[in-house]
Amino acid sequence: MKMWFLGTGAGRPAKHRNVSAIALQLPEPRGWWLFDAGEATQHALLHLPLKLSRLEAIFITHLHGDHLFGLPGLLGSRSFDGGVSPLKIYGPKGLKSYVENTFAISGTHVEYEMTIIELEDGAELDAFYRDDLLQVDARPLQHRVPCFGYRVTESDKPGRLMAEKLKERGLASGPVFGKIKRGESVELPDGTIVKPEDFTDGTVPGRVIAILGDTSPCRQVEELARNADLLVHEATFAAGLEEKAHEFGHSTTTEAAKAALAAGAARLAMTHFSGRYGNEELWQLEEEAKAIFPAVFAATDGSCVDIPRRSSVRGEKPGK
């Protein structure tokens, strides 16, 4: 998995920073997901190895323009880019009306099936999205309008295949080995069931990524970020500006760091920076957070972070 930051600014675009959008690139042969779509998101995508035709789902955190104004144009361009597969879009109430009215007024049409699913305001939603690889949970955050944070959980997979043990059982390498490696049980001709847990070295935990919308500190942040491999948390203002941040439903660098520490996250990506901070000042914002949570970085537009699977098996701590 990889995460691409398409826009890391708050409120409005700046010369050095666009507004909010994040792409989560899924393991092959899957495509990618989009979280928020601020103005000019599709322009940012032109510089990345992500095709709109492979976009699978969109998750909108809230309906403020800096997280939403790029959505209609991107949806229209997906048709021009060869996108024909169905697309689901999730977000707060009002999202469906926004997209449909914009399309109606502008005469925009798409050549694919588009479904907009509105999440209930203030609801704590478990597994509202689930497929064979991923599950997504949502929690309401503390902001000026209904706003969600999302927790993406990847399925566990079997550990290293114990090929020698299978051979001792009298099985030859081939389709049976492949099925067991994928975590599937296999029935042999004699009726015996071969279970993957008996012939693999433990279980490799799936990755967990927490992607928050705009928020002031609240308990739901820790729920979303608990033991996450990567937490993406807004840090609109520097330390010491907590009163100003909370007035507008935002957080500071140190509050983001405290949230990551309390949740036991492995890494923290800070984003959604106020225009008062240039990119040359981001190192100072990082230092403020590092004093509390060392594994932190300030995201910049166009930057990418790899999210590897943990090498440990279940029951061990990452990095052991």
Short mmCIF file of all heavy atoms in Angstrom, two decimals, residues 32 50-56 77-78 81-85:
data_model
loop_
_atom_site.label_atom_id
_atom_site.label_comp_id
_atom_site.label_asym_id
_atom_site.label_seq_id
_atom_site.Cartn_x
_atom_site.Cartn_y
_atom_site.Cartn_z
N TRP A 32 -7.24 2.12 -6.51
CA TRP A 32 -6.95 3.07 -5.43
C TRP A 32 -8.24 3.73 -4.96
O TRP A 32 -9.26 3.71 -5.64
CB TRP A 32 -5.93 4.11 -5.87
CG TRP A 32 -6.33 4.94 -7.07
CD1 TRP A 32 -6.32 4.58 -8.38
CD2 TRP A 32 -6.80 6.29 -7.03
NE1 TRP A 32 -6.76 5.61 -9.17
CE2 TRP A 32 -7.05 6.68 -8.38
CE3 TRP A 32 -7.02 7.22 -6.02
CZ2 TRP A 32 -7.52 7.94 -8.73
CZ3 TRP A 32 -7.49 8.49 -6.35
CH2 TRP A 32 -7.73 8.83 -7.69
N LEU A 50 -1.42 7.37 -10.95
CA LEU A 50 -2.74 6.87 -10.58
C LEU A 50 -3.73 7.29 -11.66
O LEU A 50 -3.87 8.48 -11.96
CB LEU A 50 -3.18 7.45 -9.23
CG LEU A 50 -2.30 7.14 -8.02
CD1 LEU A 50 -2.80 7.91 -6.80
CD2 LEU A 50 -2.29 5.65 -7.73
N LYS A 51 -4.42 6.32 -12.24
CA LYS A 51 -5.38 6.60 -13.30
C LYS A 51 -6.80 6.67 -12.73
O LYS A 51 -7.19 5.84 -11.92
CB LYS A 51 -5.30 5.52 -14.37
CG LYS A 51 -3.98 5.50 -15.14
CD LYS A 51 -4.02 4.49 -16.26
CE LYS A 51 -2.73 4.49 -17.06
NZ LYS A 51 -2.52 5.80 -17.73
N LEU A 52 -7.55 7.66 -13.19
CA LEU A 52 -8.93 7.78 -12.73
C LEU A 52 -9.75 6.55 -13.08
O LEU A 52 -10.70 6.21 -12.37
CB LEU A 52 -9.57 9.02 -13.36
CG LEU A 52 -9.31 10.35 -12.66
CD1 LEU A 52 -9.90 11.50 -13.47
CD2 LEU A 52 -9.88 10.35 -11.25
N SER A 53 -9.39 5.87 -14.16
CA SER A 53 -10.14 4.68 -14.54
C SER A 53 -10.02 3.56 -13.51
O SER A 53 -10.85 2.65 -13.48
CB SER A 53 -9.65 4.17 -15.91
OG SER A 53 -8.26 3.87 -15.87
N ARG A 54 -9.00 3.62 -12.64
CA ARG A 54 -8.79 2.58 -11.63
C ARG A 54 -9.25 3.03 -10.23
O ARG A 54 -9.04 2.32 -9.26
CB ARG A 54 -7.31 2.17 -11.59
CG ARG A 54 -6.80 1.61 -12.92
CD ARG A 54 -5.53 0.81 -12.70
NE ARG A 54 -5.82 -0.39 -11.92
CZ ARG A 54 -4.87 -1.07 -11.25
NH1 ARG A 54 -3.61 -0.67 -11.28
NH2 ARG A 54 -5.19 -2.15 -10.57
N LEU A 55 -9.88 4.18 -10.17
CA LEU A 55 -10.43 4.66 -8.90
C LEU A 55 -11.63 3.79 -8.52
O LEU A 55 -12.58 3.65 -9.30
CB LEU A 55 -10.86 6.12 -9.04
CG LEU A 55 -11.57 6.76 -7.85
CD1 LEU A 55 -10.70 6.73 -6.60
CD2 LEU A 55 -11.99 8.19 -8.20
N GLU A 56 -11.60 3.21 -7.32
CA GLU A 56 -12.63 2.26 -6.89
C GLU A 56 -13.69 2.88 -5.98
O GLU A 56 -14.86 2.49 -6.01
CB GLU A 56 -11.99 1.09 -6.14
CG GLU A 56 -11.08 0.21 -6.96
CD GLU A 56 -10.55 -0.96 -6.16
OE1 GLU A 56 -10.97 -1.12 -4.98
OE2 GLU A 56 -9.75 -1.73 -6.68
N SER A 77 -14.39 13.72 -15.34
CA SER A 77 -13.17 13.33 -16.06
C SER A 77 -12.94 11.84 -16.03
O SER A 77 -12.27 11.30 -16.91
CB SER A 77 -11.96 14.05 -15.45
OG SER A 77 -12.05 15.44 -15.69
N ARG A 78 -13.48 11.15 -15.03
CA ARG A 78 -13.28 9.70 -14.96
C ARG A 78 -13.84 9.00 -16.20
O ARG A 78 -13.28 8.02 -16.67
CB ARG A 78 -13.92 9.14 -13.69
CG ARG A 78 -13.64 7.65 -13.45
CD ARG A 78 -14.15 7.20 -12.10
NE ARG A 78 -13.78 5.82 -11.81
CZ ARG A 78 -14.59 4.77 -11.99
NH1 ARG A 78 -15.80 4.96 -12.47
NH2 ARG A 78 -14.17 3.55 -11.70
N ASP A 81 -11.46 9.43 -18.99
CA ASP A 81 -10.23 8.66 -18.76
C ASP A 81 -10.46 7.15 -18.91
O ASP A 81 -9.62 6.36 -18.53
CB ASP A 81 -9.68 8.97 -17.37
CG ASP A 81 -8.19 8.67 -17.25
OD1 ASP A 81 -7.46 8.85 -18.24
OD2 ASP A 81 -7.76 8.25 -16.16
N GLY A 82 -11.62 6.78 -19.40
CA GLY A 82 -11.89 5.36 -19.65
C GLY A 82 -12.49 4.63 -18.47
O GLY A 82 -12.55 3.40 -18.48
N GLY A 83 -12.93 5.34 -17.46
CA GLY A 83 -13.52 4.69 -16.30
C GLY A 83 -14.92 4.17 -16.61
O GLY A 83 -15.83 4.95 -16.92
N VAL A 84 -15.10 2.87 -16.54
CA VAL A 84 -16.40 2.26 -16.81
C VAL A 84 -16.90 1.41 -15.64
O VAL A 84 -18.07 1.06 -15.59
CB VAL A 84 -16.34 1.39 -18.09
CG1 VAL A 84 -16.08 2.25 -19.31
CG2 VAL A 84 -15.29 0.29 -17.97
N SER A 85 -16.02 1.07 -14.71
CA SER A 85 -16.42 0.25 -13.57
C SER A 85 -17.26 1.06 -12.60
O SER A 85 -17.13 2.29 -12.51
CB SER A 85 -15.19 -0.31 -12.86
OG SER A 85 -14.36 0.75 -12.42
#
